[in-house]
Amino acid sequence: DAKTTQPNSMESNEEEPVHLPCNHSTISGTDYIHWYRQLPSQGPEYVIHGLTSNVNNRMASLAIAEDRKSSTLILHRATLRDAAVYYCILTLGIQGAQKLVFGQGTRLTINP
Amino acid sequence: EPEVTQTPSHQVTQMGQEVILRCVPISNHLYFYWYRQILGQKVEFLVSFYNNEISEKSEIFDDQFSVERPDGSNFTLKIRSTKLEDSAMYFCASIGRGPKETQYFGPGTRLLVL
């Protein structure tokens, strides 16, 4: 499994944008980039995923570097509810049946 | 929005007892998973299941573990003889077909083995 590297923790203020980085220098051409988050005492929750182009959804935006060796999850206006551990995970995109390999993720703290 | 459900939310059992954790995946999904998370540690893959058989399992998933899809809706994880170290949160997940699909997780079952 291709590996990802994330900072252990980040801190931001409420109502400000948050940029969560992820390095994946060994990514292959068919790997999808997924972001999940885990709120306290809950199961992982899908946030967003992409292959090459930047992606937007109601939760966040995903900016993917042109060489695909890094990506950034963008929370446009953080709320206290966004405090969670955020995981950047790569999956081989050929089939749907891909296990997710979780690292330690980035623990995001939001200050009121 | 459809969601994965799990029962029970909490289970306390004695070491050596059998436990069955239940999951109802999203109805049109085809692939099913169990993961676990020991307190303070990262989420670990246990097993994946497709077309009524195990497609992949981790080293954690030894002979004490089994999975079953007894009917068209439930997906179960059985631990035959629980050990203290089986205490963890167990998450079920499911996914549809296709490379653009992504896994949806249930809320988890907190298992405590005494």
Side-chain angles (χ1 to χ4, degrees), chain A residues 27-85:
Chain A
I27 191 170
S28 72
T30 52
D31 284 337
Y32 277 75
I33 302 160
H34 296 252
W35 283 82
Y36 280 76
R37 71 180 185 181
Q38 189 173 21
L39 279 64
S41 301
Q42 294 189 29
E45 175 187 30
Y46 166 75
V47 178
I48 201 166
H49 73 293
L51 182 61
T52 55
S53 304
N54 295 342
V55 184
N56 299 296
N57 67 20
R58 63 177 177 82
M59 288 181 71
S61 295
L62 176 60
I64 302 172
E66 200 170 326
D67 65 3
R68 301 209 327 126
K69 293 186 176 181
S70 66
S71 60
T72 302
L73 179 70
I74 303 166
L75 306 178
H76 294 285
R77 202 160 167 263
T79 68
L80 296 178
R81 278 204 69 252
D82 292 321
V85 179

Side-chain angles (χ1 to χ4, degrees), chain B residues 43-54:
Chain B
V43 178
E44 301 174 287
F45 167 77
L46 290 178
V47 66
S48 58
F49 192 85
Y50 170 71
N51 200 25
N52 282 321
E53 59 183 28
I54 290 173

Side-chain angles (χ1 to χ4, degrees), chain B:
Chain B
E1 188 172 329
E3 56 183 21
V4 177
T5 59
Q6 290 185 243
T7 54
S9 58
H10 295 78
Q11 173 120 28
V12 181
T13 189
Q14 296 291 324
M15 190 169 58
Q17 294 297 303
E18 174 183 286
V19 294
I20 298 175
L21 310 183
R22 291 182 167 81
C23 168
V24 179
I26 294 173
S27 63
N28 62 348
H29 282 185
L30 300 173
Y31 302 90
F32 314 108
Y33 306 81
W34 285 100
Y35 294 81
R36 80 171 186 190
Q37 186 175 32
I38 295 171
L39 187 63
Q41 298 186 22
K42 57 186 179 181
V43 178
E44 301 174 287
F45 167 77
L46 290 178
V47 66
S48 58
F49 192 85
Y50 170 71
N51 200 25
N52 282 321
E53 59 183 28
I54 290 173
S55 46
E56 186 175 357
K57 59 183 181 179
S58 71
E59 290 178 355
I60 303 167
F61 194 89
D62 61 22
D63 292 344
Q64 293 300 311
F65 291 88
S66 63
V67 288
E68 194 178 34
R69 189 155 160 81
D71 53 40
S73 60
N74 290 287
F75 179 50
T76 62
L77 175 69
K78 183 193 291 187
I79 309 175
R80 289 192 185 81
S81 179
T82 50
K83 308 185 191 73
L84 295 176
E85 54 265 37
D86 292 328
S87 296
M89 282 290 287
Y90 288 81
F91 298 107
C92 172
S94 68
I95 187 172
R97 190 189 296 276
K100 294 188 178 182
E101 292 284 346
T102 190
Q103 290 184 29
Y104 290 88
F105 284 76
T109 293
R110 183 175 295 282
L111 176 65
L112 178 60
V113 182
L114 303 177

Side-chain angles (χ1 to χ4, degrees), chain A residues 89-106:
Chain A
I89 301 171
L90 303 183
T91 63
L92 184 62
I94 296 174
Q95 299 175 6
Q98 302 299 318
K99 68 183 180 189
L100 296 176
V101 179
F102 288 82
Q104 297 295 340
T106 297

